[in-house]
Amino acid sequence: MIYDVAVVGAGFGGLASAAELSRKGLKVILFEASNELGGSAGKFERQGYRFQSGATVGMGFEEGGVFDRLYASLGIKRPDMKLLNPIMDIHLPDRTIHYYQNRAQWYKEIDCHFPQHASQIKSFYDEVFKVGALVDQLVERLPVFPPHNFKDWLEMVKLVDKNSLKLIPYMTQTVEDRLKSFRLESNRLFRTFLNGELMDSVQTSVENCPAFLGYAALQTFHKGAYAVHGGLATIAHQLAEYIESCGNEVLLRHPVRNVEKSGQYFHLHSKRNTIFTAKKVILNNSIHNLHDTLSENLGKQTFIKKEKEKNRESWGAFIIHAGVDDRLFRNTDALYHQFIDPNHPDDLHDGGQFLLSLSDPEDKSMAPEGKRSLTLSTHTGVEPWWSAADYEMKKEKMKNRLIQTVDHYFPGFEKSLDLVLPGTPVTFEKWLRRKRGKVGGYAPTGRFSWLDSYSIRTGIDGVYQCGDTVFPGAGTLGVTLSGLMVAKDITR
């Protein structure tokens, strides 16, 4: 059989592109190397607990949001979920800030914690919401960005209007620059808070984050963040079921070891020397894995250079999956908690800043009775974890640092834990096939770093890419949008 499109990787980008192509009547086959769907937003189960592999927060289900529109177009019923308000509690050394989804409540919280600069911070957020909405309007039109050929440039020109032109100042400044315009750059508390939110969403800090990207991320929290029952893997399974309902195939435990081209068709080599043939290929297994997937001949055709990507910095994640006694968190409504290490408030990685995600007590699929599943996650440098000599010692040290920080804010946490499972970049490579355990795409490094982004194009006619290493970047919304961009381009 010759497929119209073969999709490699059942992360959210691959699932979204395959579902949209299925809706439009194309013959699609989707390959996933592991036995779980969702990639870094997947799941696994141990001893009665369901754990989320990486990403845990549901976004885009508000009216008009990415998943709201996708589900409507596919005719899928949205899963059960809980709107988060507060979105999370942020635990700083001397206070806890309730990060409310509701804008009016959030502004009251600003009054409470930042009384001397409250009016300036609220003006800053007014700008965040205004500019973030403009970014949404632009990105939701699914442009191929950065433009790679004449057709892409032509489509970009069509997007130029009075609203898009308003974004230009924010595409030439960092969030730090915008803080200076509000005389907020020296407010250490607010800066620490913002760094935590930007590190969690855009993988970088205020001085390195392009303003329009940071604003888009910050305003997304306030549009609606959700705890999806069953975890984000529920969304992945619904998309896969839709693909199969259209008569298309989703193959688990089918790694694609090599993609080559002969004549007008691509041939994908999977397990037991099976070969599948397709007219077009979508790679949702990250640019880090690109050259390991393409044949030598195809690898020479792409403009993405192997050595450059090998040396380009990208974050990994240290993660702990565990169970905890439900009683420990009964006095808080928040399911998500961000912690700033009281001894190192300026460290944004390796435990200096990290997120705790708790399962909703109403979601009985996530944990045994009287327990809740949880995930602790922090950014970490990748390379140090590949030294075998002290690997176990480093893992134990990092595990203890995260657990003890939570125990500082929630006394008794360490004693209440059950089934503690730490993971490192080595774990992410083993189970999610992420090269060297790199996750979350490429962190912005300055005001013009967005110009160094990759689009859905590989430079090889008929081979596309989507996922967290492709514009618009990391997070379930970003990777889903990249998948929809590919589907739009293929069916244009």
Side-chain angles (χ1 to χ4, degrees):
M1 177 181 291
I2 299 174
Y3 297 90
D4 292 315
V5 183
V7 183
V8 180
F12 271 42
L15 286 162
S17 62
E20 181 66 6
L21 292 169
S22 297
R23 183 179 74 85
K24 293 187 175 181
L26 277 70
K27 189 65 179 174
V28 178
I29 185 168
L30 173 59
F31 300 92
E32 170 53 46
S34 74
N35 61 356
E36 292 286 352
L37 298 163
S40 296
K43 66 170 177 64
F44 68 95
E45 297 178 359
R46 295 286 189 280
Q47 298 182 25
Y49 290 97
R50 172 178 286 192
F51 298 114
Q52 302 192 70
S53 300
T56 58
V57 183
M59 301 282 196
F61 280 99
E62 73 280 357
E63 185 176 355
V66 174
F67 281 103
D68 180 62
R69 289 182 284 111
L70 179 60
Y71 269 56
S73 69
L74 301 179
I76 300 175
K77 182 183 177 182
R78 60 191 288 163
D80 293 333
M81 62 184 69
K82 180 177 182 177
L83 176 66
L84 303 175
N85 189 42
I87 305 158
M88 66 179 79
D89 280 353
I90 293 126
H91 303 278
L92 293 157
D94 62 343
R95 72 191 69 209
T96 293
I97 298 175
H98 304 296
Y99 194 26
Y100 288 104
Q101 178 266 336
N102 179 276
R103 193 181 305 188
Q105 287 178 288
W106 173 230
Y107 279 15
K108 286 183 179 179
E109 192 75 357
I110 289 171
D111 287 330
C112 177
H113 290 285
F114 308 96
Q116 293 182 328
H117 295 94
S119 62
Q120 293 151 261
I121 293 173
K122 285 186 279 189
S123 294
F124 170 81
Y125 266 93
D126 287 342
E127 184 174 90
V128 164
F129 295 129
K130 180 184 71 175
V131 174
L134 293 175
V135 175
D136 284 350
Q137 291 171 22
L138 191 63
V139 173
E140 286 171 4
R141 292 159 76 177
L142 303 178
V144 175
F145 184 86
H148 180 68
N149 55 34
F150 177 76
K151 183 174 68 172
D152 296 345
W153 280 106
L154 186 62
E155 290 299 315
M156 287 298 297
V157 169
K158 293 178 182 178
L159 296 178
V160 176
D161 57 23
K162 63 180 182 180
N163 285 329
S164 59
L165 289 174
K166 293 176 183 177
L167 286 174
I168 292 176
Y170 306 96
M171 300 175 80
T172 59
Q173 299 181 66
T174 63
V175 174
E176 166 103 29
D177 294 329
R178 298 312 305 152
L179 287 178
K180 290 178 180 177
S181 72
F182 291 97
R183 302 188 305 281
L184 290 169
E185 74 278 9
S186 299
N187 187 314
R188 183 173 174 79
L189 177 62
F190 185 57
R191 188 187 186 92
T192 300
F193 164 78
L194 272 188
N195 275 336
E197 303 323 299
L198 290 175
M199 195 67 184
D200 184 49
S201 55
V202 195
Q203 334 296 326
T204 196
S205 56
V206 294
E207 64 268 23
N208 290 318
C209 186
F212 80 102
L213 288 178
Y215 281 10
L218 290 171
Q219 61 99 29
T220 296
F221 287 116
H222 297 273
K223 291 194 298 181
Y226 300 85
V228 179
H229 284 194
L232 297 184
T234 302
I235 300 169
H237 281 270
Q238 287 183 300
L239 293 176
E241 288 168 5
Y242 176 82
I243 294 163
E244 292 177 326
S245 74
C246 294
N248 286 326
E249 297 175 65
V250 178
L251 303 181
L252 298 178
R253 296 179 293 280
H254 270 72
V256 172
R257 308 190 191 284
N258 187 258
V259 178
E260 62 178 359
K261 190 174 185 182
S262 177
Q264 60 181 319
Y265 298 122
F266 294 96
H267 305 289
L268 294 88
H269 297 252
S270 186
K271 64 180 184 180
R272 301 191 193 95
N273 296 318
T274 53
I275 301 175
F276 299 83
T277 302
K279 299 174 184 176
K280 296 181 185 296
V281 176
I282 301 172
L283 301 175
N284 182 219
N285 57 351
S286 99
I287 290 173
H288 311 307
N289 298 71
L290 179 69
H291 285 275
D292 292 337
T293 307
L294 297 176
S295 68
E296 183 178 354
N297 185 46
L298 286 178
K300 293 176 180 177
Q301 297 177 39
T302 177
F303 55 77
I304 300 167
K305 303 304 178 185
K306 184 175 183 179
E307 283 306 310
K308 177 185 176 182
E309 295 316 303
K310 180 180 178 181
N311 298 320
R312 191 174 178 183
E313 290 188 9
S314 184
W315 288 113
F318 184 92
I319 197 163
I320 297 173
H321 296 104
V324 69
D325 193 315
D326 176 52
R327 290 172 294 184
L328 191 70
F329 290 95
R330 286 185 180 174
N331 292 328
T332 174
D333 293 328
L335 299 181
Y336 293 81
H337 298 262
Q338 190 177 57
F339 296 91
I340 309 297
D341 188 321
N343 298 312
H344 303 277
D346 294 323
D347 290 351
L348 297 177
H349 52 84
D350 291 301
Q353 179 273 130
F354 64 95
L355 187 69
L356 181 151
S357 307
L358 283 167
S359 63
D360 184 352
E362 298 175 8
D363 183 2
K364 304 304 181 183
S365 67
M366 297 296 288
E369 189 68 31
K371 302 284 187 179
R372 291 161 80 174
S373 67
L374 67 85
T375 302
L376 294 173
S377 59
T378 185
H379 292 79
T380 186
V382 171
E383 291 308 319
W385 292 100
W386 293 91
S387 171
D390 58 353
Y391 175 79
E392 291 298 333
M393 181 186 72
K394 285 190 295 189
K395 186 166 72 170
E396 185 70 13
K397 184 178 179 180
M398 184 71 76
K399 182 193 78 171
N400 291 338
R401 179 181 183 182
L402 267 59
I403 289 174
Q404 287 165 13
T405 299
V406 180
D407 198 75
H408 171 83
Y409 293 102
F410 290 92
F413 173 75
E414 188 169 6
K415 293 181 179 179
S416 298
L417 288 175
D418 180 32
L419 188 66
V420 179
L421 304 171
T424 72
V426 177
T427 314
F428 275 85
E429 181 176 83
K430 179 179 180 180
W431 295 109
L432 298 181
R433 311 295 177 101
R434 303 289 304 220
K435 185 79 169 180
R436 303 295 281 181
K438 296 178 179 181
V439 293
Y442 298 111
T445 56
R447 68 186 67 187
F448 295 114
S449 55
W450 55 273
L451 291 171
D452 202 27
S453 301
Y454 288 112
S455 77
I456 59 173
R457 307 211 185 281
T458 63
I460 306 168
D461 188 31
V463 178
Y464 297 81
Q465 57 197 5
C466 61
D468 58 10
T469 49
V470 172
F471 181 84
T476 53
L477 288 186
V479 299
T480 299
L481 282 166
S482 69
L484 295 176
M485 288 172 186
V486 174
K488 177 184 176 182
D489 196 77
I490 287 175
T491 59
R492 191 189 303 272

